[in-house]
Amino acid sequence: MRLISWNVNGIRAVHKKGFLDWFESEQPDVLCVQETKAHEVQLPKALKQVEGYSSWFTTPERKGYSGVGLYTRDGIAPRSVTFGLGVERFDSEGRTIVADFDDFVFLGIYFPNGKRSADRLRYKMEFYDAFLDYVDNLRQQGRNVVVCGDVNTAHKEIDLARPKENRKISGFLPEERAWMDTFFEHGYVDTFRQFNQEPENYTWWNVMTRARDRNVGWRIDYFFTDTDFASNLTNAFILADVMGSDHCPVGIEIA
């Protein structure tokens, strides 16, 4: 299976930039898109009914904000698809899709951004904790998990171009990085780093400063699996040449 995650920063906007052409060319088995900024009823038919795929979309309370979508290839349909972590103040923002496949539970998540205010940083950290409780509970039930999405935090200095200048910026704060340490200590792995330990591999670039032209970026989009399921990984990758958003797609291949 080939699974891809992409923060599209507005699915209707990226649709106008060749999203469906890219989708048809890439042909992933599973595609999760974040920051769709649209309710399903606002989407053109072409985005909801991609030939050969089933699709699901979250419905945030606030239109034009947040949102996650999931496409699965026909013949690889999940047993069930649900929305949210079971915590209303997080689920109202439409940040989570959970798909139950036979071999694993898939979570596609648009994690909160903490840059706006101290309140939003606190919200982000509490969302992190609720997410960790959720996946730990799945593991306690004997389920394997695959998680993808825009996590909005770069874990280590290798994961952003200018770590020293960003130590006091949300996305690279000590408490955010410490939470990621805790997450991995609970038995999860950063799939990309299972295959690539090289610097200058980023997934987000500031559009205003044309940072992508200079590859001054951050790696904040991830695929995670639990340590047991990691043995099924055959590849993990970043599609840095794919345009249309301030993020690029990331993906994994599993046996």
Side-chain angles (χ1 to χ4, degrees), residues 53-212:
Y53 289 84
S54 299
S55 64
W56 297 263
F57 299 89
T58 63
T59 304
E61 286 184 358
R62 177 178 161 191
K63 287 188 176 182
Y65 177 75
S66 191
V68 179
L70 176 67
Y71 296 89
T72 65
R73 184 192 293 278
D74 292 347
I76 313 179
R79 291 189 291 184
S80 65
V81 176
T82 57
F83 304 97
L85 299 173
V87 181
E88 174 58 27
R89 67 194 185 95
F90 300 136
D91 298 346
S92 64
E93 294 195 358
R95 294 183 173 275
T96 306
I97 286 181
V98 182
D100 190 342
F101 293 91
D102 287 333
D103 295 327
F104 59 90
V105 178
F106 174 91
L107 293 92
I109 304 181
Y110 175 41
F111 291 83
N113 188 316
K115 289 182 179 178
R116 188 193 315 163
S117 65
D119 286 344
R120 286 305 289 184
L121 177 59
R122 183 163 51 251
Y123 180 92
K124 175 183 181 178
M125 300 307 298
E126 291 170 353
F127 185 102
Y128 277 173
D129 289 341
F131 157 73
L132 182 54
D133 287 344
Y134 190 97
V135 290
D136 277 353
N137 184 58
L138 288 171
R139 295 293 297 125
Q140 289 165 10
Q141 296 173 36
R143 301 303 308 275
N144 292 120
V145 298
V146 174
V147 181
C148 75
D150 175 2
V151 180
N152 263 313
T153 295
H155 182 213
K156 296 183 177 180
E157 291 193 357
I158 193 177
D159 295 317
L160 71 167
R162 294 176 176 169
K164 291 181 180 179
E165 293 89 336
N166 288 286
R167 291 185 187 279
K168 297 182 180 180
I169 302 295
S170 179
F172 199 59
L173 293 174
E175 57 265 43
E176 295 167 321
R177 299 172 64 199
W179 180 88
M180 293 193 75
D181 289 337
T182 298
F183 174 63
F184 294 131
E185 288 165 2
H186 276 231
Y188 304 95
V189 300
D190 175 349
T191 61
F192 183 74
R193 290 303 180 202
Q194 300 296 299
F195 296 90
N196 189 315
Q197 294 294 327
E198 296 300 316
E200 299 184 3
N201 283 287
Y202 308 127
T203 66
W204 175 82
W205 302 263
N206 188 314
V207 174
M208 300 297 291
T209 62
R210 300 184 64 87
R212 196 165 188 170

Side-chain angles (χ1 to χ4, degrees), residues 10-13 35-44 47 57-60 62-69 94:
I11 193 168
R12 289 171 292 180
E35 204 171 358
T36 56
K37 297 183 178 179
H39 289 184
E40 186 171 359
V41 296
Q42 298 175 289
L43 298 179
L47 287 174
F57 299 89
T58 63
T59 304
R62 177 178 161 191
K63 287 188 176 182
Y65 177 75
S66 191
V68 179

